[in-house]
């Protein structure tokens, strides 16, 4: 375990150096503080911004081999960033910002419109930056570097870009979230991340805290205001209705034997019928999962092909249908749309004020799930 942590620290150092070297040359890096992640909380003044910084130059420090956090208050994100620059004595460089994090009290109680408009219109931030929210404060969350043995922003960005592709997890970028809040119903989502403490098994540093990130939570926003959280069942339904997400798994019991089936591909079709009735056909493909699997079509897909009993297939279809209907019911209850039902109607009828104001409850959806073993 100790060696693994040393390797993790080394990898972080290499990436941090690449972040610095890829952006600046020569003496230019001395005057810059490379921000790889920001956390946004509220303060009496307006905003409390925490920046995770890869510091490229300071006496006695090794260039690019570590990160540190600095927090400052301001009336807005822009003024808080300026104060970060004053505190560090260096120009704040945001071109390598990987993640943008909103603290819980802030996003649950504030209209984020001004913040999102600034972030998306600023030349400093990348549209592809991951945007998310956290349980608790963003400042506390970004100060978990010691427990993670690497920078929080880098660890979180890596999980979103690589781990999300291997599991049934929908993720969002700054651009995608902004577009969702300007779309037909002006609703979208952010992943809510939790830091979960775990037991310390490192005998070299027995008093050091340890933990991991739990990404499997989703917060819904409408017109840049927090609306609700999805349950686990609803999150699974959202994943099934998202063409970009694979890796959904189902556990079924057949003749006393428990089987786990992983979905490795799918095809989703929305067909608008008469009126505002949408038939949603979800064709799932997958097979029984085993821990001895190779990397082909997912980490846990069985290498030996084995036909599933019809009873197992029927149970998978029933579970998937229940999960999808659970999400659709939540959408009707809170009047949001994160699976493009309004967009399906727009393709036929065009954009109109009536469609912009059409409640999700007035859209009937018939979900039909099919499963093929592959």
């Amino acid at each position: 375990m100790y060696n693994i942590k040393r390797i993790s620290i080394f990898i972080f150092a290499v990436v941090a150096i690449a972040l610095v070297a890829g952006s600046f040359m020569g003496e230019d890096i001395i005057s810059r503080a490379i921000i790889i992640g920001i956390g946004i909380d509220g303060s009496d003044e307006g905003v409390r911004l925490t920046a995770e910084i890869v510091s490229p130059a300071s006496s006695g420090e090794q260039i690019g081999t570590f990160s540190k956090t600095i927090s400052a208050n301001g009336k807005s994100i822009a003024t808080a960033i300026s104060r970060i620059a004053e505190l560090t004595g260096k120009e704040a460089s945001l071109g390598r910002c990987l993640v943008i994090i909103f603290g819980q009290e802030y996003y649950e109680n504030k209209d984020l419109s001004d913040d999102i408009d600034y972030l998306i219109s600023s030349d400093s931030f990348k549209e592809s930056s991951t945007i998310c929210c956290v349980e608790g404060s963003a400042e506390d969350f970004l100060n978990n570097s010691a427990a993670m043995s690497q920078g929080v922003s880098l660890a979180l960005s890596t999980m979103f870009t690589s781990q999300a592709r291997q599991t049934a997890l929908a993720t969002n970028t700054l651009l995608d979230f902004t577009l969702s809040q300007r779309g037909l119903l002006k609703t979208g989502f952010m992943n809510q991340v939790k830091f979960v403490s775990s037991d310390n098994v490192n005998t070299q540093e027995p008093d050091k805290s340890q933990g991991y990130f739990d990404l499997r939570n989703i917060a819904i926003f409408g017109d840049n205001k927090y609306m609700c959280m999805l349950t686990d069942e609803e999150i699974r339904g959202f994943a099934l209705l998202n063409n970009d997400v694979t890796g959904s798994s189902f556990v079924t019991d057949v003749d006393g034997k428990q089987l786990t089936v992983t979905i490795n591909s799918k095809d989703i079709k929305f067909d608008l019928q008469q009126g505002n009735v949408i038939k949603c056909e979800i064709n799932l493909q997958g097979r029984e999962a085993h821990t001895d699997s190779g990397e082909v079509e997912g980490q846990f897909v069985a290498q030996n092909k084995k036909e599933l009993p019809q009873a197992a297939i029927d149970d998978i279809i029933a579970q998937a249908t229940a999960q999808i209907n659970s999400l659709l019911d939540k959408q009707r209850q809170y009047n949001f749309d994160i699976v493009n039902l309004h967009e399906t109607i727009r393709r036929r009828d065009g954009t109109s004020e009536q469609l912009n104001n059409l409640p999700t409850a007035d859209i009937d959806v018939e979900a039909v799930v099919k499963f093929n073993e592959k």
Side-chain angles (χ1 to χ4, degrees):
M1 180 65 70
Y2 180 65
N3 288 334
I4 292 174
K5 287 197 170 186
R6 291 182 63 184
I7 292 171
S8 298
I9 294 171
F10 173 75
I11 292 173
F12 171 68
V14 172
V15 173
I17 292 171
L19 287 172
V20 176
S23 299
F24 310 105
M25 297 296 292
E27 294 298 321
D28 193 31
I29 65 173
I30 297 176
S31 62
R32 297 180 184 265
I34 316 303
I35 296 177
I36 60 174
I38 63 169
I40 303 166
D41 295 301
S43 71
D44 292 338
E45 193 171 345
V47 170
R48 181 165 180 81
L49 187 136
T50 302
E52 183 171 12
I53 297 173
V54 175
S55 184
S58 183
S59 60
E61 297 175 342
Q62 296 180 11
I63 293 178
T65 60
F66 65 97
S67 71
K68 58 186 177 183
T69 59
I70 297 178
S71 300
N73 296 337
K75 291 184 177 180
S76 65
I77 294 176
T79 56
I81 290 173
S82 295
R83 292 188 180 177
I84 293 286
E86 293 172 2
L87 291 172
T88 60
K90 300 175 182 180
E91 179 183 349
S93 176
L94 295 156
R96 294 289 180 173
C97 184
L98 302 171
V99 293
I100 299 164
I101 303 168
F102 287 95
Q104 186 172 8
E105 185 176 349
Y106 189 79
Y107 77 76
E108 285 187 350
N109 298 288
K110 190 177 183 301
D111 184 338
L112 302 182
S113 296
D114 291 342
D115 300 324
I116 297 299
D117 286 346
Y118 168 75
L119 292 168
I120 196 65
S121 61
S122 171
D123 293 332
S124 301
F125 290 94
K126 297 187 299 181
E127 295 178 343
S128 59
S129 297
T130 296
I131 187 169
C132 63
C133 53
V134 295
E135 185 181 70
S137 79
E139 181 176 8
D140 290 343
F141 184 84
L142 280 171
N143 281 311
N144 283 311
S145 293
M148 299 300 297
S149 295
Q150 62 175 312
V152 168
S153 300
L154 182 62
L156 194 59
S157 176
T158 301
M159 290 180 70
F160 273 120
T161 56
S162 62
Q163 221 170 318
R165 288 196 295 265
Q166 301 171 9
T167 58
L169 179 66
T171 61
N172 227 347
T173 65
L174 173 59
L175 177 61
D176 291 335
F177 180 80
T178 302
L179 292 176
S180 74
Q181 302 304 291
R182 298 176 181 177
L184 292 173
L185 201 59
K186 297 183 179 180
T187 54
F189 74 97
M190 286 188 202
N191 297 89
Q192 189 209 54
V193 187
K194 298 179 182 180
F195 176 77
V196 182
S197 298
S198 60
D199 294 336
N200 187 351
V201 296
N202 186 353
T203 57
Q204 302 293 326
E205 300 176 280
D207 298 325
K208 183 178 178 180
S209 61
Q210 288 187 334
Y212 61 91
F213 293 143
D214 176 9
L215 277 61
R216 285 197 57 83
N217 300 281
I218 288 180
I220 302 299
F221 289 80
D223 202 12
N224 289 304
K225 293 183 281 290
Y226 170 74
M227 297 178 70
C228 62
M229 294 292 297
L230 297 186
T231 65
D232 183 67
E233 183 86 349
E234 294 156 1
I235 291 171
R236 292 176 183 273
F238 179 33
L240 288 169
L241 288 174
N242 192 320
N243 259 321
D244 296 328
V245 178
T246 56
S248 297
S249 61
F250 298 90
V251 177
T252 182
D253 191 274
V254 178
D255 296 329
K257 180 182 178 182
Q258 190 177 81
L259 302 178
T260 300
V261 176
T262 299
I263 304 302
N264 51 57
S265 65
K266 61 186 169 183
D267 180 56
I268 304 169
K269 295 179 181 178
F270 289 94
D271 184 19
L272 184 59
Q273 312 288 310
Q274 285 188 336
N276 293 327
V277 178
I278 296 176
K279 181 178 180 180
C280 178
E281 187 173 300
I282 306 99
N283 293 291
L284 305 176
Q285 293 183 331
R287 64 176 185 260
E288 186 180 355
H290 290 292
T291 55
D292 61 350
S293 307
E295 292 293 332
V296 180
E297 298 179 334
Q299 283 187 312
F300 297 105
V301 176
Q303 291 178 341
N304 58 314
K305 293 188 176 182
K306 178 179 168 183
E307 287 190 8
L308 291 169
Q310 186 60 45
I313 293 175
D314 292 342
D315 188 33
I316 290 168
I317 291 174
Q319 289 183 50
T321 302
Q323 292 167 7
I324 290 169
N325 285 330
S326 177
L327 173 69
L328 295 174
D329 288 343
K330 188 65 161 278
Q331 288 199 150
R332 286 188 282 266
Q333 179 185 357
Y334 284 89
N335 193 32
F336 66 91
D337 179 9
I338 56 175
V339 294
N340 293 323
L341 301 181
H342 286 74
E343 176 62 21
T344 301
I345 298 175
R346 186 199 66 77
R347 292 194 191 106
R348 185 191 69 179
D349 299 341
T351 303
S352 66
E353 192 65 26
Q354 181 181 2
L355 178 57
N356 289 342
N357 298 316
L358 179 66
T360 308
D362 290 348
I363 305 175
D364 293 327
V365 182
E366 178 190 357
V368 179
V369 179
K370 299 179 181 179
F371 177 85
N372 293 307
E373 192 171 2
K374 180 182 178 182

